[in-house]
Amino acid sequence: MTQEAAPSPAAPAPGPVARLFQQALPGVDITPSQTPIDEAITVHRDDFLRVMEAAHRHPDLAFDFLRCVSGVDWLTELESVNMLRSYRHGHTVIVKVRCPYEDPHIPSVSHLWASANWLERETQEMFGIIYDGHPDPRPLLTEEGLGYYVLRKSHPLAEIEEWQEGYLATIDAAKAQAAAATGAPVVDEKAAKIAAAQAKAAIITKTRADARAKGLPPEDEKAAVAAALAKWEEEQAAQAPPAAGGAPVDPKAAKIQQAQAKARVITKAREEARAKGMSAEEERQFVAEALKKFSDEAAAPAPAAAPAPAPAAQTQASKIQLAQAKAKLITKTREEARAKGLSPEDERAAVAEALKKFAEEQGG
Amino acid sequence: MPTEYVAPAEHELETIDIDVNVGPQHPATHGVFRMVLSVDGEIVKDLDPVIGYMHRGNEKLPENCDYRQAIGYHDRTDYLSQFNTEHCYVEAVEKLGGIPVPERAQYIRLILAEMGRIASHYMFVGAFGTDLGLFGTSFMYAFRDREYMQDFFEEITGERLMYNYFRPGGVAWDVPENFKERCSEVLARIKKGIVDQRGLLLDNDVVLARCRGLSPVTPEQAIDWGLTGPMLRATGFKYDIRKNEPYCIYDRFDFEIPTGVQGDIYDRLTVRVAEMEQSVHIIEQALESVPEGPIMTEGMKRILRVPPGEVYMRTESPRGEYGVYLVSNGSDKPYRHKVRAASFCNLSGLRAMSIGHYVADVVIILGSIDIVLGEVDR
């Protein structure tokens, strides 16, 4: 889970291929290790290009086939793993190089092996490792690019909406401002939803605990939970106020208009960005800026109703830190739960609770 | 056949290239694959492949499953040679965990993997005939034989497509009692079917006229582009992981590595048909000596944990080198699970292979790569 578990902590004696590398590259720091099939070497990022050029051109090494490139996320560092084979000599090697999260740059080797082109493009897209000097660094599997890196450990398998919060914050702010501009009451739907979900979760947990305390069988427990939830929902429905007055005559039409105007802005900004030949990342930023400008303008006529300005965008570094802290917390809670021998369901509940607590601490 | 784009002479009319979109829903793209062709008349001047329509997170999902649950995802990467992909994954887990495999299980795996290769190549020759415009004939003959094989696989695994039959340490359950007889029956049909395919495709004048000398690839180019499997062997380069980096028990059997001469489309076709014959040959040898005994290593834990470490396991799948890079941190799930897909790397050479050819030929060139989009996109 953590980088302590990374292989090759102590350097074993170099194998024949690693010795060839050391002979070909005197003075370069090469850390050898052994996998069940191949030998592996780890090099520093500054030496990486030199090592790969030697691997390709040196007659004793002559690795003419780059068979695979893979990324690995070690939470504080990103690793690029290159599997090589020499058809001439019949030997193989795995060359590994690491880069820090904050500065994920690694030199590209696609000028040495054409097969690196797509493999590096894919790794760049999935891990956010930027291969410097790549001739065609467009996203490969997702044509438009995602803006987040799905194979990093900080990217969850589920609950993507929650994780995307930062990414969607600008759009939400624009929504709120647009609503303010049309005079509709600002309803923080998301906060309400979250509050509702949290209340629900609390009820479920409580009912379950009660049921277990009473020693009910699982089926009865489920029924009890369902009943409690139904009751809660009824209460909510009773409490909900009737449709708010003061809204514009046709809020739907206004919303549609707003959305259409926004779509036009996005299209225009994208076209401009493409015409300028921006990268996918820059393009996204450009669009976000245009959107922000648009929503500012929309908010201007009704300054009284304008909500508080959106919180300053989180910097990339703090986001990463947060994600790492979260990931650590999840790991820890899970391990504790396992040590206690909890069932998967309880484990999940424990993790959710820990995350909730963490979010509260962060908010406070 | 023109291999170089020839610019029109100066006094001719000035022309511009037109971008033509092919796919993603197009019968010639073998799935959801898109190409943006830049054409000058009928000649392709540039080609931009667009992939990813089937990206399902096939590398991420197994990182959240335990080692046995991840087997099913390998059926779904290359869904035309499921035994071969499963084989690679379970071998990777075994290498990493130092898990021995009983003899009988090794034989069963080898026979099924070779059968899977034949079934996959049948799919290729059938679909390739359709690409060439021999609609129906070769396809129906190929599918007739493939159906027998699918029935055979269903008898063993209970599934027609997603077998999920191999396990780290052996196979899921033993084969039926009449395994050898049924295998021989299927082999007899396959042998007859290969003769039919040779007559229909390889000795066919139309196929020869269209495929001979089209888009030749040299061994140097193939190695540089990362082509593997039949694509590499068609160039005349003799390399097969089963021989050069033997895994399973391939080193016990006698078989040839078929190679082509000039790496053109026709060579890719002949190499694959010859490979089917070699696979039949391997299975016949293996059938003679399938031992009795256990099919699973004793003492396998319910929750499988492998020691920390990493391994890059590769096997010869029908499309080339199928690789699995596993990193373990000692828990019950892979920490990193990377799939090196053969058709992904083979497809990356499509642009270079297609420039300067006719639009109609690009369809054949794409068909000859034998892509499976499930494996390309993962």
Side-chain angles (χ1 to χ4, degrees):
Chain A
M1 297 276 153
T2 52
Q3 82 216 62
E4 284 92 69
S8 73
V17 179
R19 270 204 299 277
L20 281 179
F21 268 100
Q22 282 168 347
Q23 281 162 16
L25 294 155
V28 173
D29 189 9
I30 291 170
T31 317
S33 56
Q34 185 68 40
T35 77
I37 308 176
D38 307 304
E39 274 180 56
I41 58 169
T42 308
V43 297
H44 296 300
R45 185 167 54 161
D46 302 335
D47 303 329
F48 178 65
L49 202 54
R50 237 184 103 200
V51 171
M52 292 304 258
E53 270 167 5
H56 188 248
R57 289 177 186 148
H58 197 282
D60 291 343
L61 297 167
F63 289 99
D64 39 16
F65 175 35
L66 178 77
R67 57 193 351 173
C68 186
V69 175
S70 168
V72 185
D73 179 5
W74 291 109
L75 299 184
T76 51
E77 286 175 307
L78 292 165
E79 190 176 60
S80 176
V81 185
N82 302 265
M83 292 76 167
L84 297 169
R85 179 185 161 83
S86 167
Y87 283 119
R88 197 193 300 170
H89 301 302
H91 55 214
T92 59
V93 76
I94 297 178
V95 182
K96 299 193 279 184
V97 60
R98 288 193 179 196
C99 61
Y101 242 82
E102 297 77 36
D103 176 30
H105 288 265
I106 286 174
S108 167
V109 293
S110 43
H111 61 290
L112 300 171
W113 296 275
S115 55
N117 192 320
W118 276 27
L119 292 163
E120 285 183 349
R121 260 173 89 179
E122 192 200 348
T123 313
Q124 175 160 338
E125 180 181 10
M126 296 293 159
F127 280 92
I129 300 172
I130 297 161
Y131 288 94
D132 293 326
H134 193 285
D136 182 18
R138 290 174 300 158
L140 181 62
L141 290 168
T142 55
E143 200 187 354
E144 308 82 15
L146 291 169
Y148 43 83
Y149 306 113
V150 285
L151 284 181
R152 283 190 181 178
K153 290 287 166 189
S154 52
H155 189 86
L157 198 61
E159 292 114 31
I160 291 194
E161 288 83 3
E162 193 186 312
W163 184 84
Q164 278 176 327
E165 242 168 294
Y167 183 61
L168 296 176
T170 42
I171 296 169
D172 279 352
K175 235 188 233 169
Q177 282 170 8
T182 54
V186 180
V187 182
D188 195 347
E189 273 179 37
K190 198 160 196 182
K193 260 189 198 167
I194 291 174
Q198 283 174 350
K200 255 191 198 174
I203 287 176
I204 294 175
T205 317
K206 197 170 153 263
T207 323
R208 252 195 210 150
D210 285 353
R212 281 193 194 168
K214 281 183 204 162
L216 293 184
E219 280 140 38
D220 290 358
E221 186 185 318
K222 243 180 235 168
V225 170
L229 274 184
K231 201 175 145 203
W232 181 78
E233 262 161 27
E234 267 172 31
E235 279 172 19
Q236 287 293 309
Q239 274 176 18
V249 191
D250 193 353
K252 204 171 178 192
K255 255 190 198 167
I256 290 174
Q257 240 179 8
Q258 196 65 35
Q260 281 172 348
K262 226 199 244 169
R264 275 199 294 274
V265 170
I266 294 177
T267 317
K268 205 172 142 241
R270 257 206 199 139
E271 274 169 7
E272 269 178 34
R274 285 202 186 159
K276 280 183 199 164
M278 288 183 175
S279 75
E281 192 78 28
E282 283 167 350
E283 189 185 297
R284 214 167 298 116
Q285 269 175 13
F286 190 74
V287 170
E289 268 168 28
L291 262 186
K292 197 163 163 252
K293 207 170 140 201
F294 169 73
S295 49
D296 285 346
E297 278 169 12
Q314 284 175 302
T315 60
Q316 191 76 10
S318 70
K319 256 191 218 166
I320 290 171
Q321 248 177 6
L322 191 66
Q324 282 174 353
K326 256 192 194 172
K328 254 186 216 158
L329 186 68
I330 295 174
T331 317
K332 204 179 137 231
T333 323
R334 258 200 203 144
E335 272 167 9
E336 277 174 17
R338 277 190 198 171
K340 280 184 203 160
L342 292 185
S343 73
E345 224 154 82
D346 290 346
E347 185 185 318
R348 218 167 294 134
V351 170
E353 211 163 289
L355 272 184
K356 201 177 134 198
K357 211 169 140 200
F358 176 76
E360 273 166 15
E361 277 168 18
Q362 288 288 315
Chain B
M1 275 311 142
T3 49
E4 285 283 310
Y5 168 69
V6 186
E10 267 177 35
H11 57 81
E12 285 179 17
L13 279 174
E14 195 186 331
T15 56
I16 53 163
D17 300 336
I18 295 175
D19 287 347
V20 179
N21 184 54
V22 182
Q25 299 290 339
H26 192 280
T29 57
H30 297 264
V32 274
F33 170 66
R34 193 176 138 219
M35 313 183 264
V36 184
L37 304 176
S38 179
V39 295
D40 176 15
E42 282 290 313
I43 305 282
V44 174
K45 287 186 70 184
D46 198 4
L47 183 150
D48 189 19
V50 181
I51 58 171
Y53 292 95
M54 273 224 319
H55 180 63
R56 297 150 294 172
N58 233 329
E59 292 183 5
K60 180 88 172 174
L61 289 167
E63 289 172 16
N64 295 274
C65 297
D66 80 21
Y67 281 101
R68 287 196 190 91
Q69 286 171 329
I71 300 168
Y73 288 108
H74 285 269
D75 289 328
R76 286 155 181 80
T77 51
D78 183 350
Y79 45 72
L80 293 178
S81 57
Q82 304 89 332
F83 284 129
N84 305 72
T85 50
E86 278 177 31
H87 198 176
C88 184
Y89 174 72
V90 297
E91 288 255 349
V93 177
E94 284 156 7
K95 285 262 162 27
L96 204 50
I99 302 165
V101 186
E103 278 287 286
R104 186 174 169 79
Q106 294 274 33
Y107 273 86
I108 295 172
R109 280 188 193 179
L110 177 124
I111 290 169
L112 289 178
E114 287 310 308
M115 282 272 188
R117 189 182 314 279
I118 297 170
S120 173
H121 282 341
Y122 260 132
M123 182 76 201
F124 166 76
V125 290
F128 188 69
T130 314
D131 284 339
L132 281 168
L134 304 169
F135 185 76
T137 325
S138 71
F139 194 74
M140 286 300 156
Y141 274 93
F143 262 60
R144 177 195 65 186
D145 299 335
R146 199 165 166 269
E147 278 308 302
Y148 297 134
M149 305 185 71
Q150 300 248 280
D151 289 345
F152 176 60
F153 294 155
E154 193 178 0
E155 285 163 23
I156 295 165
T157 64
E159 264 288 342
R160 284 182 70 78
L161 201 60
M162 303 301 171
Y163 307 124
N164 200 358
Y165 179 63
F166 295 176
R167 295 281 184 278
V171 291
W173 49 77
D174 207 345
V175 289
E177 274 179 17
N178 62 351
F179 176 69
K180 280 189 189 176
E181 294 83 69
R182 285 287 291 134
C183 209
S184 314
E185 266 177 53
V186 173
L187 279 186
R189 286 184 190 275
I190 292 169
K191 278 194 210 160
K192 204 170 154 292
I194 295 174
V195 174
D196 286 347
Q197 290 294 347
R198 277 195 177 277
L200 272 169
L201 279 174
L202 297 187
D203 301 342
N204 185 326
D205 254 2
V206 179
V207 175
L208 275 163
R210 284 205 69 186
C211 300
R212 258 273 171 251
L214 176 60
S215 183
V217 175
T218 64
E220 292 75 30
Q221 283 174 326
I223 291 167
D224 191 31
W225 297 340
L227 306 189
T228 47
M231 296 286 292
L232 176 61
R233 291 192 281 275
T235 65
F237 193 83
K238 212 169 195 172
Y239 173 72
D240 189 314
I241 300 175
R242 291 174 293 173
K243 279 263 195 221
N244 295 58
E245 295 182 336
Y247 57 98
C248 193
I249 45 170
Y250 279 105
D251 45 359
R252 297 184 199 171
F253 301 105
D254 161 55
F255 63 97
E256 294 286 311
I257 306 175
T259 53
V261 182
Q262 48 174 339
D264 60 0
I265 309 285
Y266 189 73
D267 279 345
R268 294 173 203 166
L269 188 57
T270 45
V271 163
R272 284 189 175 103
V273 175
E275 261 181 34
M276 287 162 75
E277 285 162 350
Q278 291 303 321
S279 291
V280 171
H281 185 49
I282 296 173
I283 297 169
E284 280 175 344
Q285 293 173 59
L287 269 186
E288 283 170 11
S289 48
V290 179
E292 293 297 321
I295 45 102
M296 177 63 89
T297 302
E298 288 206 5
M300 292 293 287
K301 298 256 171 58
R302 251 189 86 223
I303 303 244
L304 184 64
R305 285 173 205 274
V306 303
E310 60 184 318
V311 68
Y312 175 70
M313 180 67 209
R314 52 275 175 167
T315 56
E316 188 71 34
S317 98
R319 277 159 201 82
E321 175 175 323
Y322 186 86
V324 172
Y325 178 61
L326 277 184
V327 179
S328 162
N329 59 358
S331 77
D332 55 348
K333 296 174 181 133
Y335 185 79
R336 169 80 176 116
H337 172 271
K338 158 88 186 168
V339 176
R340 191 264 189 210
S343 19
F344 176 83
C345 294
N346 288 354
L347 187 62
S348 68
L350 175 68
R351 182 173 175 273
M353 275 185 247
S354 304
I355 291 177
H357 292 285
Y358 288 114
V359 175
D361 288 341
V362 170
V363 171
I364 315 178
I365 295 169
L366 176 68
S368 75
I369 299 175
D370 191 17
I371 52 169
V372 170
L373 267 306
E375 192 192 27
V376 173
D377 298 343
R378 278 156 286 142

